[in-house]
Amino acid sequence: MAANNSLNGGKSSLKNIDGRVVFVQVLVLVFLCINSLLIMTFFMKDCFYTTMRYILFAMTLLSDCLYLLLTDILLILSYFHFTIQMWFCLMIYIILSLYTYLTPVTLTAMTLERYVAICLPLRHSELCSTSSSMHCILFIHGISCLPCIAVLSIFFKSATHGFYVQRNVCSVEMFIIQKWQGHLRSAISQFYFLLMVSIIVFCYVKIMKVAKAASGDNKKSTGKGLRTVILHAIQLLLCLIQLWCPFIEAALLQTNFLLYINVRYFNYITFILAPRCLSPLIYGLRDEIFFHALKYYALCGLYKKPLDF
C-alpha cells in the first residue's frame, strides 16, 4: 500500500511538472510574439532607430528574445534528460552568460539616458546621438562580457580535453569545477549588483529633485520620466536577483531535490520571464509615440495616427 501511494505520488508529481512545462511554453511563446511585433515596429519608423532610448529598447528586446529562446531550449532538454556534448553546451553557456548581464546593463544605460534627458536637457542631443548610441552598445557588450571571460578563463585552465567530448545534460553548474570558482562568480555578480543599484538610486534622486522644482508641462514630463526610472528599477532588481539564483539553487540541490525543482521553477518565472515582459510595458505601451506606431502596424494600417509623426 505504501509503495502504491509512493508510486501515485510520483505520477502526480510528474503530471505537475508536465503542466508547468506547458505553462512555460505558452508564456515564452506569448512573450516572443509580443517582442517580435515590437521589434518590427521599431524598424518601420526612422524616428525610432535614430533615437538612443528606442535603440537601447530594441537591443533589449532582441537580447531578451534570444535569452528566452535559449533558456527554454535548455529547460526542455533538461526535462527530457537529453544529453549533448560539452563543447556545444559551452557555446550555449557563453551566449547565456553574456545576455544574463546584457539586459541589466542596458537597463542601467536607459536609466542614465532618462537622467540626461531630464537633468541635462541642453546636452541630451550631444550625449545621446545616433553615433553615441553605437558606442554605447559596444561598451554595454564589453561590460557584459567581462564576467563570462573571468569565469571561463579559469575554467579553460582546469578542464581536460576529454571534458569537451563528454555527453551530459547541459547546465551552468558544469563549468564550476572548483568551489572557489563559484565564490568568484558570486563576487562578480554582487559587484555588478551594487554598481547598477547605485546608478539607479543616483538617477532617481537627481530626477526627483528636478521633478520637485519643475512646473506645468515640465513637471508632467519629469514625473513621467521619474515613473519610467522606477519601472526600470523594478525590472533591474528582478534581473539582478536572477544573478543570485544559481547559488540558492546549488545549495538546495544538496539538501532537497523536490524543493530545488520548485524553487528553480519559481525563479525562472519570477526572475527570468517576468523582467523580460516589463520592457514591452515600459516602452511598448507607456511611450505614446511607440504605442501609436505599434497600434498602427498591429491593426495593419487601420489606425492612422502614426502618419502624423
Side-chain angles (χ1 to χ4, degrees), residues 2-235:
N4 288 337
N5 289 338
S6 175
L7 185 60
N8 291 334
K11 288 180 179 178
S12 175
S13 178
L14 284 174
K15 287 180 180 178
N16 190 29
I17 294 174
D18 283 340
R20 290 178 176 185
V21 171
V22 171
F23 179 65
V24 167
Q25 301 315 302
V26 172
L27 284 180
V28 170
L29 182 61
V30 169
F31 292 156
L32 287 177
C33 288
I34 293 172
N35 284 1
S36 298
L37 180 60
L38 292 169
I39 291 168
M40 182 198 73
T41 303
F42 168 79
F43 285 108
M44 289 295 187
K45 301 297 292 184
D46 293 348
C47 65
F48 294 145
Y49 52 82
T50 55
T51 307
M52 177 180 274
R53 61 176 174 168
Y54 295 121
I55 293 171
L56 294 177
F57 171 54
M59 190 177 80
T60 304
L61 291 175
L62 288 168
S63 66
D64 285 350
C65 284
L66 182 59
Y67 188 83
L68 286 176
L69 192 60
L70 286 177
T71 54
D72 191 47
I73 289 171
L74 285 183
L75 175 70
I76 294 170
L77 293 179
S78 177
Y79 177 72
F80 289 106
H81 300 286
F82 188 85
T83 60
I84 60 175
Q85 288 193 333
M86 285 296 98
W87 68 266
F88 185 56
C89 182
L90 178 62
M91 296 298 103
I92 296 175
Y93 169 73
I94 291 172
I95 297 171
L96 285 179
S97 180
L98 168 63
Y99 285 100
T100 296
Y101 286 91
L102 189 71
T103 293
V105 172
T106 306
L107 289 172
T108 306
M110 292 169 79
T111 302
L112 285 170
E113 187 276 333
R114 287 293 82 200
Y115 161 74
V116 173
I118 293 169
C119 300
L120 303 169
L122 297 179
R123 299 200 62 194
H124 184 260
S125 58
E126 174 194 346
L127 296 175
C128 301
S129 62
T130 305
S131 60
S132 297
S133 301
M134 298 302 106
H135 295 147
C136 183
I137 288 172
L138 291 175
F139 182 74
I140 287 170
H141 278 80
I143 291 292
S144 303
C145 281
L146 293 179
C148 179
I149 292 172
V151 172
L152 287 182
S153 60
I154 299 168
F155 166 76
F156 287 139
K157 290 183 178 180
S158 306
T160 61
H161 176 72
F163 177 85
Y164 299 103
V165 294
Q166 290 178 9
R167 297 186 67 89
N168 213 327
V169 177
C170 189
S171 172
V172 173
E173 287 73 23
M174 295 285 181
F175 305 103
I176 305 297
I177 298 175
Q178 303 293 335
K179 191 173 181 180
W180 63 269
Q181 290 176 257
H183 296 322
L184 174 64
R185 189 176 67 165
S186 175
I188 294 171
S189 297
Q190 291 181 44
F191 172 74
Y192 271 69
F193 179 88
L194 290 173
L195 183 61
M196 287 185 274
V197 166
S198 299
I199 293 171
I200 290 286
V201 171
F202 169 80
C203 292
Y204 177 81
V205 171
K206 291 292 185 180
I207 293 173
M208 190 166 60
K209 287 180 179 179
V210 173
K212 286 182 178 179
S215 60
D217 292 338
N218 287 337
K219 191 175 185 67
K220 183 180 178 181
S221 176
T222 306
K224 188 175 181 180
L226 190 61
R227 288 191 294 274
T228 300
V229 171
I230 293 172
L231 286 172
H232 279 323
I234 295 170
Q235 189 179 13

Side-chain angles (χ1 to χ4, degrees), residues 235-305:
Q235 189 179 13
L236 184 61
L237 181 63
L238 293 175
C239 287
L240 292 175
I241 290 174
Q242 177 201 340
L243 301 178
W244 290 348
C245 290
F247 313 113
I248 298 170
E249 292 167 7
L252 290 175
L253 183 59
Q254 305 298 323
T255 56
N256 189 322
F257 183 73
L258 184 59
L259 182 60
Y260 162 78
I261 293 293
N262 291 332
V263 169
R264 193 166 194 180
Y265 175 77
F266 173 81
N267 288 343
Y268 186 78
I269 296 293
T270 309
F271 304 122
I272 293 180
L273 291 184
R276 284 155 180 83
C277 76
L278 283 176
S279 289
L281 172 66
I282 293 172
Y283 278 104
L285 300 179
R286 291 186 69 253
D287 187 276
E288 187 177 352
I289 297 175
F290 199 93
F291 177 69
H292 288 317
L294 176 64
K295 200 172 179 180
Y296 175 81
Y297 293 113
L299 297 176
C300 302
L302 297 176
Y303 185 75
K304 300 297 183 183
K305 191 161 186 178

